[in-house]
């Protein structure tokens, strides 16, 4: 009876171990053909800013959404809000911060309804050439006499046999209606910072809106900030500290109806002492 | 001699299998990569984003700075490479037009910049 080739089997297993060790630790495959989700955090920030700048120019929300998805963030909206906050803290250009915040705000809008019943879905897929995990999907919508919702799927681009033209960009989504003041509350509560102006922004469905720009102006000054930077208080929340004796005008976005003569209210404590209270303004899209 | 031939062959086959597994089947996944390692279609889309932003901003220095993170080549070359990849991949005419404009602008900007 012939003996089982134990030695050959052991050598085979040993060889596999040596090969894997060499290819993982000594000479790993060179870095090439990576996808955006593997980028370093600061490059992801750069990419988010660029996506926002590109969106500000093209108005193509679906394309921006698809590009953000490639970054692999668990919550793209939170990532954008956090980045806007970091940009503000780093004193980056207001225009850039605004673009990021606007994209965050627009991402919360429901997708637009198709313009007509005709729908076409051209798809393009190239043959994969290597180990690739994520497909690159850039859906784009166009609003013309018919709706074209093409979807481009590009896997590894080594050999492209049947190219299908990419779709042209969509028209800019219609902006929502201007926010209006629905409530103004004086807050005389212990623990609140004196002169605090709280702003709460909701959309037409009473859902809090992150990334809404709040513009506060007063005689000789202006301050702009965004909702959503204190998510623990709500995505549509933002605040600002007012000075006693100064009258402020507050509005949401450049087209919002201004609320004038806002100033810190006076409050009376139980012992009769007076102190400065806070104000809450609630804005909603009609 | 023939006694060692089979184990030796088994070792070589094992090494080959291990290399295929480590390089092809389950290669090392890199994290914290830089944009110059992005796959060609992602790079082309990045250049397209720069082109889309440039259309409104009309700031060649800003566009060049954005393109610079894709490599050490001149911005005109990076844009041109992006345009070439976009053509190969099959971007739309409108996107190709934007990329062409960016490439031209970058090449002109390089000419003006000392």
């Amino acid at each position: 009876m012939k003996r089982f080739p134990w030695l050959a089997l052991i050598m085979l297993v040993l060889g596999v171990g040596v090969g894997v060790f060499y290819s993982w630790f000594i000479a790993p495959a060179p870095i090439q053909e990576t996808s955006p989700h593997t980028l370093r955090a600061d490059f992801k920030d750069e990419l988010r800013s660029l996506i926002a700048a590109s969106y500000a120019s093209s108005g193509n929300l679906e394309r921006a959404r698809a590009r953000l998805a490639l970054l692999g963030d668990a919550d793209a909206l939170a990532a954008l809000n956090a980045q806007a906050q970091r940009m503000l803290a780093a004193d980056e250009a207001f225009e850039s911060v605004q673009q990021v915040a606007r994209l965050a705000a627009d991402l919360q809008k429901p997708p637009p309804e198709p313009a007509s019943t005709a729908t076409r879905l051209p798809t393009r897929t190239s043959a994969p050439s290597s180990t690739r995990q994520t497909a690159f999907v850039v859906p784009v919508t166009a609003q013309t006499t018919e709706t074209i919702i093409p979807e481009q799927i590009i896997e590894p681009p080594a050999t492209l046999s049947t190219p299908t033209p990419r779709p042209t960009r969509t028209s800019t989504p219609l902006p929502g209606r201007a926010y209006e003041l629905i409530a103004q509350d004086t807050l005389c509560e212990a623990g609140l910072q004196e002169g605090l102006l709280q702003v709460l922004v909701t959309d037409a469905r009473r859902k809090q809106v992150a990334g809404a720009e709040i513009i506060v102006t007063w005689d000789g000054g202006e301050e702009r900030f965004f909702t959503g930077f204190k998510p623990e208080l709500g995505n549509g929340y933002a605040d600002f500290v007012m000075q006693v004796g100064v009258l402020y005008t507050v509005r949401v976005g450049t087209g919002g109806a201004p609320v004038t003569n806002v100033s810190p209210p006076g409050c009376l404590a139980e012992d009769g002492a007076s102190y400065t209270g806070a104000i809450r303004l609630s804005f909603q899209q009609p | 001699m023939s006694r060692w031939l089979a184990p030796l062959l088994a070792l070589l086959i094992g090494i080959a299998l291990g290399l295929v597994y480590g390089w092809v089947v389950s290669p090392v996944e890199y994290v914290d990569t830089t944009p110059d390692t992005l796959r060609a279609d992602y790079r082309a889309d990045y250049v397209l984003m720069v082109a889309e932003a440039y259309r409104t901003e009309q700031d060649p220095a800003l566009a060049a700075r954005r393109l610079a993170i894709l490599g050490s080549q001149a911005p005109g070359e990076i844009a041109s490479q992006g345009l070439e990849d976009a053509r190969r991949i099959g971007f739309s005419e409108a996107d190709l037009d934007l990329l062409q404009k960016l490439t031209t602008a970058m090449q002109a900007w390089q000419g003006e910049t000392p």
Side-chain angles (χ1 to χ4, degrees):
Chain A
M1 186 179 158
K2 201 172 182 181
R3 286 177 58 198
F4 187 79
W6 287 109
L7 184 61
L9 188 65
I10 290 168
M11 294 300 266
L12 182 73
V13 172
L14 186 70
V16 170
V18 169
V20 169
F21 182 82
Y22 184 82
S23 58
W24 277 358
F25 300 103
I26 297 175
I31 301 180
Q32 58 181 357
E33 299 201 335
T34 60
S35 60
H37 78 274
T38 64
L39 287 173
R40 216 170 59 201
D42 55 335
F43 289 123
K44 281 189 178 182
D45 282 356
E46 289 270 351
L47 202 48
R48 271 188 219 99
S49 292
L50 184 55
I51 292 169
S54 149
Y55 169 66
S57 169
S58 71
N60 191 331
L61 188 58
E62 289 314 304
R63 186 176 269 190
R65 205 188 294 272
R67 283 167 169 162
L68 285 171
L70 294 174
L71 292 174
D73 295 319
D75 185 346
L77 193 59
L80 280 172
N81 283 330
Q83 178 168 341
Q85 199 168 11
R86 284 196 298 276
M87 290 168 81
L88 277 176
D91 216 14
E92 289 192 31
F94 181 72
E95 178 79 9
S96 305
V97 182
Q98 200 176 26
Q99 286 172 345
V100 172
R102 186 155 297 155
L103 176 57
D106 289 355
L107 280 176
Q108 294 178 96
K109 291 179 183 170
E113 293 293 321
S116 76
T117 53
T119 300
R120 207 148 44 94
L121 290 163
T123 300
R124 173 186 181 289
T125 308
S126 68
S129 67
S130 62
T131 59
R132 211 44 271 159
Q133 55 285 65
T134 28
F136 178 27
V137 184
V138 180
V140 183
T141 60
Q143 290 185 338
T144 54
T145 51
E146 64 172 349
T147 298
I148 302 169
I149 308 175
E151 186 178 89
Q152 181 171 356
I153 301 175
I154 306 168
E155 286 211 5
T159 51
L160 303 171
S161 50
T162 53
T164 302
R166 254 193 169 200
T168 52
R169 69 180 34 78
T170 63
S171 58
T172 308
L174 290 172
R177 297 177 68 183
Y179 291 90
E180 292 175 356
L181 182 73
I182 56 165
Q184 178 168 347
D185 304 306
T186 298
L187 306 173
C188 294
E189 295 172 15
L192 277 180
Q193 185 170 1
E194 292 192 354
L196 189 69
L197 169 66
Q198 297 184 332
V199 180
L200 196 64
V201 181
T202 53
D203 62 16
R205 293 179 299 170
R206 296 187 181 180
K207 192 177 166 195
Q208 295 201 24
V209 177
E213 185 185 19
I214 314 295
I215 305 168
V216 178
T217 52
W218 62 94
D219 189 17
E222 181 182 275
E223 180 78 36
R224 290 167 181 247
F225 48 98
F226 296 89
T227 56
F229 289 163
K230 293 182 177 175
E232 69 279 10
L233 298 174
N235 281 336
Y237 175 87
D239 59 27
F240 172 81
V241 179
M242 301 178 286
Q243 301 296 317
V244 177
V246 179
L247 292 175
Y248 296 89
T249 299
V250 183
R251 66 182 196 273
V252 179
T254 47
V259 182
T260 55
N261 297 329
V262 179
S263 64
C267 296
L268 275 179
E270 286 179 359
D271 60 1
S274 65
Y275 65 98
T276 306
I279 282 189
R280 182 192 295 139
L281 300 179
S282 301
F283 291 88
Q284 191 178 325
Q285 234 170 359
Chain B
M1 176 66 187
S2 62
R3 186 182 157 211
W4 291 101
L5 190 62
L8 191 66
L9 270 176
L11 179 70
L12 292 176
I13 291 169
I15 290 174
L17 288 175
L19 290 177
V20 169
Y21 184 80
W23 279 337
V24 181
V25 179
S26 179
V28 171
E29 283 217 14
Y30 290 93
V31 291
D32 291 346
T33 58
T34 51
D36 60 306
T37 63
L38 285 174
R39 215 170 63 199
D41 54 345
Y42 294 129
R43 288 170 63 93
D45 192 55
Y46 182 94
V47 178
L48 177 60
M49 282 189 262
V50 176
E52 285 172 336
Y54 176 74
R55 183 181 53 173
T56 307
E57 296 165 347
Q58 292 295 308
D59 183 346
L62 177 60
R65 203 159 57 241
R66 284 170 169 157
L67 289 173
I69 74 168
L70 284 181
S72 55
Q73 308 100 301
E77 273 180 54
I78 295 173
S80 173
Q81 182 63 52
L83 174 62
E84 204 174 294
D85 287 336
R87 278 204 185 106
R88 190 166 49 82
I89 291 165
F91 281 29
S92 74
E93 281 304 316
D95 291 340
L96 292 176
D97 184 49
L98 279 177
L99 286 165
Q100 180 62 65
K101 282 177 179 153
L102 176 72
T103 304
T104 307
M106 288 298 95
Q107 286 164 348
W109 183 76
Q110 278 168 225
E112 290 166 9
T113 311

